[in-house]
Amino acid sequence: MQISFEPVGILHSPYKQKFAIPRQPRLIPQARAWLALADHVNHPDTLRGIEDFSHLWLVFAFHETMEKGWSNLVRPPRLGGNAKKGVFATRATFRPNAIGMSAVELIGIKKKGNRWGLELAGIDLLDQTPILDIKPYLPYSDSIEQAAGGFADARPETEMTVEFSEQAQQFCLQQSQNYPQLMAFITQVLKQDPRPAYKKKREGEQTYGMSLYEFNIQWRVNAQHHFVEEIR
Ligand code: SAH
């Protein structure tokens, strides 16, 4: 059986590349995005009552990587990239059906021009991700207090500190009209340490770059410290 879906929306996210996206939703509350409804559902009736929910489930396609296939076993980053787990025992993006799901915060309904949409926060999705479905998050049923979390039982904690150069601070100040949360957002992204596991083990200073919104951010890492050198 083949099943095909037409996306109900496209997500407009500050994450322009996979690198630096947190591994799960809500780890970075400042990560805001706008979900634009597709033409066939672009009507306020499809959203009626949604503002009464604080959180939503997004079901989406891992569109950027879906062509790359999948394997039975994956190496979760959580386990330092060493141990292997079955694909269905992980939230890996490389799956037989490249479908992801994220519980995100609903800020509110937001229309731009004649396009209805939703303002969201705490997202872990790439820019332009096709959204297959939107459902309200139901705390009484979706939250299971005694659930066992396997190899990912607790929220990942990192001890990274973040410092901004004079240029980087000035840059964030200049953008504060359009992006009032920019500095807090960059800080949160770096605090969760986006580096791949094998690089975290490396000694000495390393230089990295990432794209958030239309900005390019360059930083240096030494031990547990990120120094944001330049933002362009
Ligand atoms: N919460 C989801 C996603 C977990 S994987 C789930 O459990 O199903 C999270 C990773 O997915 C992010 O680190 C990011 O690199 C990747 N990702 C997000 N959107 C993507 C997309 N559209 N295509 C491919 N990978 C994506």
Side-chain angles (χ1 to χ4, degrees):
M1 182 165 56
Q2 292 282 330
I3 301 169
S4 78
F5 295 114
E6 188 176 354
V8 297
I10 296 288
L11 195 77
H12 296 263
S13 155
Y15 299 120
K16 307 295 176 190
Q17 54 183 175
K18 278 194 67 180
F19 178 58
I21 304 184
R23 300 247 158 67
Q24 285 303 338
R26 298 190 326 286
L27 294 173
I28 301 183
Q30 284 88 352
R32 292 266 189 135
W34 184 60
L35 199 178
L37 292 187
D39 289 344
H40 65 297
V41 294
N42 184 27
H43 194 283
D45 281 355
T46 63
L47 301 176
R48 190 187 296 175
I50 205 166
E51 64 277 15
D52 295 339
F53 295 91
S54 63
H55 293 80
L56 302 174
W57 281 110
L58 299 183
V59 179
F60 59 94
F62 288 117
H63 75 299
E64 177 106 334
T65 48
M66 62 195 307
E67 300 303 323
K68 296 205 175 136
W70 59 281
S71 0
N72 290 342
L73 291 170
V74 300
R75 299 169 189 268
R78 256 308 176 93
L79 299 172
N82 299 321
K84 291 183 179 176
K85 298 282 175 188
V87 63
F88 296 131
T90 77
R91 301 290 278 265
T93 54
F94 305 99
R95 331 182 58 79
N97 293 323
I99 293 175
M101 49 186 278
S102 295
V104 302
E105 187 187 346
L106 173 63
I107 304 295
I109 294 175
K110 186 168 176 183
K111 197 181 180 197
K112 293 190 183 179
N114 52 18
R115 182 71 56 187
W116 289 89
L118 298 171
E119 184 73 12
L120 306 169
I123 55 124
D124 61 342
L125 279 68
L126 199 59
D127 192 34
Q128 302 299 318
T129 296
I131 307 298
L132 303 178
D133 203 2
I134 305 163
K135 300 169 196 274
Y137 176 88
L138 300 183
Y140 85 87
S141 172
D142 292 346
S143 150
I144 307 167
E145 236 170 80
Q146 321 81 348
F151 65 83
D153 201 38
R155 181 196 165 95
E157 293 298 345
T158 53
E159 299 292 312
M160 303 296 290
T161 49
V162 182
E163 189 189 344
F164 285 69
S165 71
E166 192 58 37
Q167 188 276 341
Q169 287 182 43
Q170 285 305 321
F171 189 95
C172 291
L173 270 177
Q174 284 156 13
Q175 300 296 331
S176 56
Q177 188 87 11
N178 292 329
Y179 302 96
Q181 307 237 43
L182 187 60
M183 202 161 161
F185 181 41
I186 295 171
T187 303
Q188 291 304 315
V189 169
L190 293 182
K191 263 201 170 157
Q192 48 112 33
D193 201 357
R195 294 174 299 159
Y198 73 97
K199 291 238 166 119
K200 290 181 191 170
K201 291 181 209 136
R202 274 198 198 158
E203 300 276 322
E205 198 168 82
Q206 305 155 42
T207 310
Y208 291 90
M210 66 177 171
S211 306
L212 295 173
Y213 298 106
E214 65 266 40
F215 310 124
N216 188 276
I217 296 128
Q218 299 235 324
W219 79 97
R220 280 183 289 158
V221 195
N222 208 331
Q224 298 300 301
H225 189 63
H226 291 293
F227 180 75
V228 181
E229 262 173 335
E230 195 184 7
I231 311 180
R232 275 173 289 137

